[in-house]
C-alpha cells in the first residue's frame, strides 16, 4: 500500500533553495512537505563521509553568497551554522614563482609590488570598481527581477527601483557599470594589470561554473556573481561552513522541522500531477502520491518541465523556451582525503594564503586555451582549478593531523568527445581517472608530494554531478549566467516571477533569478511570490528592507 | 598661413567626406585633408600591376545610411548604381545554398529543408536590426545627471523613438528581442537551424571583422547591426571607388575643398579650443572647428593628451581594436569550371563558412597570434557582374579572409604573408577547385597592412571592436560618446564613434550635425 497525504505545499528537492522556500512557506502557515530523491538532503550543499574519518563538501565547497538577511531571519546559527572566513589565496607557476593574494591590505600591496609596482596601484582602482559594482547589485538579489515588458503595478515598482538606482549612479558611473556588465573578465583585467600571474589569479572567478572563456563578454559579471557575497558583512570575503557545506542544508532543514515541516527522503519526483491547468500534487518514484495546490520545484527548469511535467499541460512556446534554456556542464571535482598536509615548497614558510584558494594557472592565455579544449568536447589539457584545504581551519573535516582537499576543475564537458562522438556516456571510469591524473599532474606544480599524500580520492565528472545531485549536465548554476538568461529572462522570458504556465507550479532553484551559487535568494524570493499569490504576503518578513 | 575655414575635416574616408558634405550643405566653409594620395580610406580602390582596378579593402555595400543619402540628395538609389548579389553559402561537399531576399534554396534548385526556419530567423533579425537602426541616425542616448532639465530629456530622445517602434512589435517579438539582443550568434542560430553552411554563413556575417567567435555574447547585436538595412549586399558598379568619387563630387559641388597628400600632424588648441591644424610640411590651417575621422586614439594624439583628463586618456588607450580580417585580391585570367555553380551564382557573395562550429574554431588560433588554417572567407568576383571591374578581360576576385592576427607570433615576414595567401587560396580551392591555376597576380593585405594604409588601429575596420562594452553610450569610450572630443570645437567623426563602422556614413553625418549645432549656439551667444 503506497503512501498518500495532503499538504498545503510540496517542495520537490531538498537543496538549499528548496529548503529555504520550504522554511518560509511553513512559517507563513502552510503545511509543507519536502521530498528528496537521495537518502540525504542538501542537493549540492552537502557534507558526505565517503571514507571513514573524513568529511567532503563534495559539491559546493565554500560559502559567501548565502544572503545574510536569510541567515539572520531564519536564525541559522542557532541550528548549527557557523561560517569561518578564510584568508586570501595564491597561485603557483611551473618555474617556482608564486603570487600570494593576502587578505591584509598592506601585505597584499607589498606582494603586488613584488610582481609589478604598477599593478599595486592599479589594484586600488580595480577593487574600488568591484566593490562599487557589488554595492550596486546587492539590493537586487532579494527582489524579483524588474520586467520592462510588464505593466503590472508590482513589476512597474521593481522597474522604478532599478531606474532610480541606475539614475542615482550618475551618467559617468552608469557608463562604467554598463561597460562592466558587458565586458569580459580578460579585457577588464588587461585594462588594469600587466602581470600575467596576477591577472590569472584574479580571472578564475569570472569563469567558474560557466561555458564561457576569460575573453567571452559577460564574464566580468560572472566574477561579480562570485564576489557579491560576504562573510559577516565583509563584502567579497569567502568562508567555510564548519562541518562542510552540508551544515547550511542541515541548519535550514532543522529550522524547517522546528517550524513543523516534514522532510521525506529516498524517493524523487516521478511526475508532477496536473489537472485542468492546475498542479494537484506529486507522484514519487516509490509509488507514493502527495496532494497539494502548490508545488515548488527546486530542480532546474529543464528537469522540472521536460522530464516531470506532462507536456500536454504546457503551451508549445513555453516548452520551446525551456528546451533552448542553456545549461552547460563545464566543471568537475576532485575530493581528496590526505594523510598529511602537502608541502608547498614555493610558498614562504607558514604563508597564511595557503589556507585560502590555490591555483596553478599562469596567464589569461592559458585559461582561454582551457576553454578552447572544452569547446571541442575535451577536458582541459591545462585545467584551471580552485583548490582548498579547509581542514586547516575546520578540524572537523579530517582526523587529527590529516587533511581534506577540495579541487574544483574548469573545464570538463558533459558530453565528452571520444572516437569522434560526443556523449555523456563517454565518461567511463578510465577516462574519469585520466582527467584526474591530468589535474594531479598540474597540482604537482604547487605541491610535488600530492600523489603520495592521497588516502582516498573521489572524482566527479559533470555526469556524476548530474546523476547524483540531479543538476542537468552537472551545471552548478542550474543554467548559464549569460545576459539572455539573467534577470527578467531567467529562466523563461515572461515567467521570471518563479511561476510557470501551470497554476501552482513554481521554479524555486538556481534556474530562477538571481541565479546560482549557495545564495538561497531564489528560494526566498520564490516563497514571497507564492505567498503573495495566495494573499499571504504579510506572513513573510520583508528581507529586502 | 593660408585661408581660414569654418571647419576642417581630418581624413578623407567616406565618413570624412560625409561630414564635409553635411557641413558644406549648411553653408559652412570646409576643407578635407587626406594623408594618402587618394581619397577613400578603407573604401579607396587600387590597381593590379596590369592596371585592372582592384577593390582594395571594402568591396560591398549593405549599410549605407538612408539619412545620409537623403540629406546629400542622392535619393534612395544611392550615390552609384548597384546590383544586389545573392549570397552563396559554399559547401565543401558541394551542397551549396543560395540565399536571395532572405530565402534559401539549394544551388541545384531543390528546396532547402530548413528554408522556413531560416526565413523566420532572418526576417526576425532584420526586423530587430531595423529597430536598432533607429539609433544610428542620432547621437547615442545618454542619461543626464539631471533628468528633469530639457536638454537632458532631449538626449533620451532616440531612446523614446526606439521605444515607440519597440511597442509596435508584437508581444512575442518584444520578449524575443530582449532575450537575444545581448546574446551570442552560436546559440541563436543553432536554436533554429542545424549546423551547416547556411547556419555557418549567418555566423560568419555576425563576426565579420570582429575579434570574436560566434559563441561570444554580443555577436547577435553585431549580426543585427549588419542586417539593419534588410540584410542584402550590393555591388557598386565601378567599385567602392565610384562610391567615394560620388561622395567627393557631392562635397565639392556643395563647396568643400578636398586635399590629398595633406598629412595633419597636429590639431592646434588654444585656450582649450581647437583652432586649426598643422600639416606635416609645416603649413597651418585655421578653422573654427576640427572634425577628425581617424580612430579615437589617433584623434586624441593629434590634439595632445594634455587636453584630456587622465580618465579619458586611460579609457581611450584601453579601447580594443584588434583587427582579424585580411584581404586577398586576385587577378584571374579566367574562371574555373565549378560544378553546380554557374556564372550567375559565382557572381554572388560567396561565403565559405561550412558550419557555426568551424567559424568558432577558425577564431581560436587568432587569440594566440596565429592564422586560422581553415579561414572563413567572404569573396566576390565583381567582374562577373560589373563590366568595368575587369576592362582588359579576365576576372577579379576579392576575398575577406578571417581570422588573421594583427600581430602574429614572429611578425608579418614575407614568408608569413605568403603562407597567409596559400592558406586562403587552399581554403577557396576546397569550394572552387582549379582557382589557383587561374591566378596571375595576387595582393595580400594583412591587418597590419590595413593599419599602415588607413591608420585604423590594429587594422580593425570599425576603428574599435564593435562589442557591447564599446557601443552606444560607451562608444568610443564612456563619457565621450556624443562626438565632442576633448577640447571645444574638436569632434570625432570616424567609425570609432557611434554607431560604428561599415560604409554607412552615420558617424560622419551625426558628428557634423553636432558641430553645426554647437557653431549655431556659439554664434547666437556672440
Amino acid at each position: 500500500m503506497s503512501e498518500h497525504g495532503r499538504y498545503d505545499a510540496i517542495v520537490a528537492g531538498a537543496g538549499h533553495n528548496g529548503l529555504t522556500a520550504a522554511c518560509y512557506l511553513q512559517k507563513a502557515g502552510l503545511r509543507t512537505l519536502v521530498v528528496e530523491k537521495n537518502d540525504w538532503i542538501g542537493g549540492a550543499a552537502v557534507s558526505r563521509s565517503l571514507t571513514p574519518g573524513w568529511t567532503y563538501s563534495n559539491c559546493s565547497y565554500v560559502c559567501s553568497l548565502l544572503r545574510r538577511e536569510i541567515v539572520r531571519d531564519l536564525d541559522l546559527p542557532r541550528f548549527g551554522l557557523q561560517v569561518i572566513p578564510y584568508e586570501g589565496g595564491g597561485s603557483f607557476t611551473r618555474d617556482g614563482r608564486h603570487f600570494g593574494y593576502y587578505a591584509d591590505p598592506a601585505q597584499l600591496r607589498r606582494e603586488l609590488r613584488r610582481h609589478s609596482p604598477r599593478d599595486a596601484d592599479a589594484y586600488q582602482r580595480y577593487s574600488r570598481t568591484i566593490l562599487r559594482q557589488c554595492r550596486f547589485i546587492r539590493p537586487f538579489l532579494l527582489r524579483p527581477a524588474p520586467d520592462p515588458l510588464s505593466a503590472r503595478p508590482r513589476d512597474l515598482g521593481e522597474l522604478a527601483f532599478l531606474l532610480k538606482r541606475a539614475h542615482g549612479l550618475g551618467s559617468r558611473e552608469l557608463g562604467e557599470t554598463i561597460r562592466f556588465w558587458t565586458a569580459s573578465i580578460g579585457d577588464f583585467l588587461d585594462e588594469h594589470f600587466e602581470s600575467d600571474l596576477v591577472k590569472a589569479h584574479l580571472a578564475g572567478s569570472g569563469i567558474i561554473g560557466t561555458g564561457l572563456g576569460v575573453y567571452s563578454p559577460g564574464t566580468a559579471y560572472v566574477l561579480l556573481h562570485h564576489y557579491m557575497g560576504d562573510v559577516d558583512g565583509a563584502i567579497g570575503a569567502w568562508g567555510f561552513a564548519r562541518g562542510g557545506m552540508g551544515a547550511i542544508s542541515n541548519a535550514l532543514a532543522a529550522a524547517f522541522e522546528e517550524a513543523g515541516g516534514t522532510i521525506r527522503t529516498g524517493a524523487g519526483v516521478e511526475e508532477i500531477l496536473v489537472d485542468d491547468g492546475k498542479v494537484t500534487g506529486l507522484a514519487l518514484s516509490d509509488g507514493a502520491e502527495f496532494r497539494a495546490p502548490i508545488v515548488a520545484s527546486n530542480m532546474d527548469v529543464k528537469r522540472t518541465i521536460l522530464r516531470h511535467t506532462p507536456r500536454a499541460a504546457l503551451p508549445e512556446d513555453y516548452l520551446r523556451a525551456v528546451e533552448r534554456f542553456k545549461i552547460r556542464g563545464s566543471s568537475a571535482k576532485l575530493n581528496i582525503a590526505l594523510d598529511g598536509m602537502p608541502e608547498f615548497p614555493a610558498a614562504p614558510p607558514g604563508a597564511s594564503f595557503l589556507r585560502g584558494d590555490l591555483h596553478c594557472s599562469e596567464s589569461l592565455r592559458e585559461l582561454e586555451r582551457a576553454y578552447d579544449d572544452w569547446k571541442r568536447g575535451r577536458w582541459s589539457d591545462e585545467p584551471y582549478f580552485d583548490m582548498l584545504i579547509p581542514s586547516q581551519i575546520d578540524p572537523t573535516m579530517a582526523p587529527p593531523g590529516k587533511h581534506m582537499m577540495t579541487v574544483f576543475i574548469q573545464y570538463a564537458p558533459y558530453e565528452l568527445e571520444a572516437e569522434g562522438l560526443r556523449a555523456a556516456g563517454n565518461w567511463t571510469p578510465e577516462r574519469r581517472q585520466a582527467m584526474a591524473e591530468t589535474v594531479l599532474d598540474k597540482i604537482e606544480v604547487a605541491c610535488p608530494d600530492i600523489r603520495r599524500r592521497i588516502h582516498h580520492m573521489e572524482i566527479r565528472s559533470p555526469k556524476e554531478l548530474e546523476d547524483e545531485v540531479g543538476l542537468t549536465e552537472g551545471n552548478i548554476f542550474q543554467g548559464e549566467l549569460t545576459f539572455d538568461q539573467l534577470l527578467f529572462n531567467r529562466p523563461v522570458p515572461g515567467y521570471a516571477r518563479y511561476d510557470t504556465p501551470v497554476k501552482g507550479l513554481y521554479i524555486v532553484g538556481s534556474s530562477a533569478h538571481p541565479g546560482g551559487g549557495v545564495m538561497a535568494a531564489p528560494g526566498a524570493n520564490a516563497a514571497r511570490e507564492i505567498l503573495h499569490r495566495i494573499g499571504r504576503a504579510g506572513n513573510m518578513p520583508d528581507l529586502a528592507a | 598661413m593660408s585661408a581660414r575655414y569654418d571647419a576642417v575635416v581630418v581624413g578623407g574616408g567616406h565618413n570624412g567626406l560625409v561630414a564635409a558634405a553635411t557641413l558644406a550643405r549648411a553653408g559652412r566653409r570646409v576643407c578635407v585633408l587626406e594623408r594618402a594620395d587618394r581619397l577613400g580610406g578603407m573604401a579607396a580602390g587600387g590597381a593590379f600591376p596590369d592596371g585592372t582596378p582592384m577593390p582594395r579593402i571594402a568591396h560591398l555595400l549593405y549599410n549605407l545610411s538612408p539619412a545620409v543619402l537623403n540629406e546629400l540628395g542622392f535619393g534612395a538609389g544611392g550615390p552609384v548604381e548597384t546590383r544586389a548579389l545573392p549570397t552563396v553559402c559554399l559547401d565543401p561537399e558541394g551542397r551549396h545554398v543560395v540565399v536571395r531576399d532572405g530565402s534559401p534554396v539549394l544551388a541545384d534548385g531543390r528546396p532547402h529543408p530548413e528554408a522556413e526556419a531560416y526565413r523566420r530567423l532572418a526576417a526576425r533579425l532584420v526586423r530587430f536590426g531595423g529597430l536598432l537602426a533607429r539609433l544610428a541616425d542620432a547621437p547615442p542616448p545618454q542619461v543626464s545627471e539631471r533628468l528633469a532639465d530639457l536638454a537632458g530629456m532631449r538626449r533620451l530622445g532616440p531612446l523614446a523613438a526606439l521605444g515607440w517602434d519597440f511597442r509596435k512589435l508584437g508581444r512575442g517579438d518584444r520578449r524575443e528581442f530582449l532575450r537575444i539582443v545581448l546574446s551570442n550568434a552560436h546559440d541563436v542560430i543553432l536554436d533554429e537551424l542545424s549546423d551547416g553552411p547556411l547556419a555557418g554563413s549567418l555566423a560568419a556575417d555576425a563576426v565579420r571583422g570582429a575579434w570574436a567567435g560566434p559563441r561570444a555574447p554580443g555577436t547577435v547585436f553585431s549580426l543585427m547591426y549588419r542586417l539593419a538595412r534588410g540584410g542584402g549586399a550590393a555591388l557598386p558598379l565601378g567599385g567602392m571607388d565610384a562610391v567615394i568619387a560620388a561622395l567627393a563630387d557631392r562635397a565639392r559641388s556643395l563647396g568643400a575643398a578636398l586635399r590629398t597628400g595633406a598629412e595633419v600632424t597636429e590639431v592646434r588648441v588654444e585656450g582649450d579650443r581647437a583652432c586649426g591644424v598643422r600639416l606635416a610640411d609645416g603649413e597651418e590651417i585655421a578653422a573654427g572647428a576640427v572634425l577628425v575621422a581617424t580612430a579615437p586614439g589617433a584623434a586624441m594624439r593629434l590634439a595632445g593628451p594634455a587636453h584630456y583628463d587622465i580618465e579619458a586618456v586611460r579609457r581611450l588607450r584601453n579601447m580594443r581594436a584588434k583587427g582579424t580580417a585580411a584581404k586577398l585580391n586576385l587577378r584571374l585570367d579566367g574562371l574555373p569550371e565549378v560544378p553546380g555553380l554557374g556564372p550567375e551564382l559565382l557572381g554572388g557573395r560567396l561565403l565559405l563558412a561550412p558550419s557555426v562550429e568551424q567559424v568558432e574554431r577558425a577564431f581560436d588560433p587568432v587569440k594566440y597570434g596565429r592564422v586560422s588554417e581553415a579561414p572563413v572567407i567572404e569573396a566576390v568576383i565583381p567582374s562577373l557582374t560589373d563590366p568595368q571591374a575587369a576592362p582588359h578581360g579576365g576576372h577579379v576576385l576579392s576575398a575577406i579572409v578571417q581570422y588573421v592576427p594583427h600581430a602574429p607570433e614572429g611578425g608579418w615576414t614575407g614568408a608569413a604573408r605568403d603562407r597567409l595567401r596559400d592558406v586562403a587560396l587552399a581554403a577557396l580551392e576546397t569550394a572552387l577547385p582549379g582557382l589557383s591555376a587561374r591566378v596571375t597576380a595576387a595582393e595580400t593585405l594583412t591587418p597590419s597592412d590595413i593599419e599602415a594604409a588607413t591608420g585604423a588601429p590594429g587594422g580593425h575596420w570599425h576603428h574599435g571592436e564593435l562589442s557591447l562594452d564599446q557601443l552606444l553610450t560607451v562608444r568610443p569610450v564612456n563619457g565621450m560618446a556624443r562626438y565632442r572630443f576633448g577640447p571645444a570645437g574638436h569632434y570625432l567623426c570616424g567609425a570609432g564613434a557611434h554607431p560604428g563602422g561599415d560604409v554607412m556614413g552615420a558617424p560622419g553625418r551625426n558628428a557634423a550635425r553636432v558641430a553645426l549645432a554647437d557653431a549655431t549656439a556659439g554664434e547666437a551667444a556672440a
Side-chain angles (χ1 to χ4, degrees), chain A residues 125 147-150 167 170-176 178-179 182-184 187 190-192 211-212 215-218 320 324 326 328 365 368-369 371-372 374-376 422 482-484 488-489 493-494, chain B residues 142-147 166 171 174-176 178-180 182-183 186-187 191-192 211 215-217 309 311 314-315 318 320 322 357 360-361 363-364 367-370 409 468-470 473-474 478-479:
Chain A
R125 215 155 31 82
D147 184 348
L149 291 187
S150 166
H167 186 239
S171 70
R172 183 161 279 231
E173 197 52 37
L174 183 62
E176 289 301 289
I178 291 170
R179 287 208 60 218
T182 51
S184 77
D187 289 327
D190 284 338
E191 281 183 17
H192 288 81
L212 297 169
Y215 282 108
S216 304
R320 269 291 286 134
R324 71 182 177 207
K326 304 293 180 297
R328 293 182 165 136
R365 219 169 215 258
E368 184 71 17
R369 270 186 212 276
Y371 168 59
D372 290 347
W374 173 83
K375 285 194 293 193
R376 294 187 176 84
R422 289 188 192 192
T482 46
F483 311 122
D484 51 329
F488 55 88
N489 284 327
Chain B
Q142 186 188 39
V143 178
S144 159
E145 313 284 40
R146 293 163 312 170
L147 257 188
F166 185 66
R171 189 175 171 77
R174 289 203 293 266
R175 282 258 173 244
E176 188 64 2
L178 289 181
R179 183 181 77 88
I180 69 172
L182 302 182
S183 182
H186 175 276
D187 289 353
D191 276 347
E192 311 296 332
W211 194 93
R215 276 181 185 267
D309 70 57
E311 282 288 283
R314 192 174 56 75
R315 288 180 182 134
N318 285 329
R320 281 174 298 110
K322 292 181 268 187
E357 227 35 77
E360 180 71 29
R361 204 168 281 205
F363 169 55
D364 288 343
K367 296 188 283 196
Y368 315 107
R370 296 198 314 268
E409 277 174 354
L468 298 174
D469 57 340
Q470 300 190 148
T473 311
V474 287
N478 186 21

Side-chain angles (χ1 to χ4, degrees), chain A residues 53-68:
Chain A
W54 275 267
T55 303
Y56 291 164
S57 291
N58 72 342
C59 299
S60 62
Y61 51 99
V62 282
C63 175
S64 158
L65 301 172
L66 188 63
R67 303 311 304 152
R68 59 180 155 165

Side-chain angles (χ1 to χ4, degrees), chain B residues 159-180:
Chain B
L159 216 50
L162 178 75
W164 181 248
D165 278 9
F166 185 66
R167 282 194 61 84
K168 289 194 293 195
L169 293 174
R171 189 175 171 77
D173 254 10
R174 289 203 293 266
R175 282 258 173 244
E176 188 64 2
F177 177 81
L178 289 181
R179 183 181 77 88
I180 69 172

Side-chain angles (χ1 to χ4, degrees), chain B residues 484-508:
Chain B
R484 296 187 189 99
F485 202 73
H490 192 227
Y491 302 89
L492 183 71
C493 68
H498 169 80
D502 290 347
V503 180
M504 182 190 281

Side-chain angles (χ1 to χ4, degrees), chain A residues 31-55:
Chain A
R31 276 188 67 234
T32 304
L33 169 73
V34 175
V35 299
E36 165 59 45
K37 82 177 169 78
N38 289 326
D39 293 330
W40 60 90
I41 61 153
V46 288
S47 305
R48 311 265 336 263
S49 180
L50 301 179
T51 183
W54 275 267
T55 303

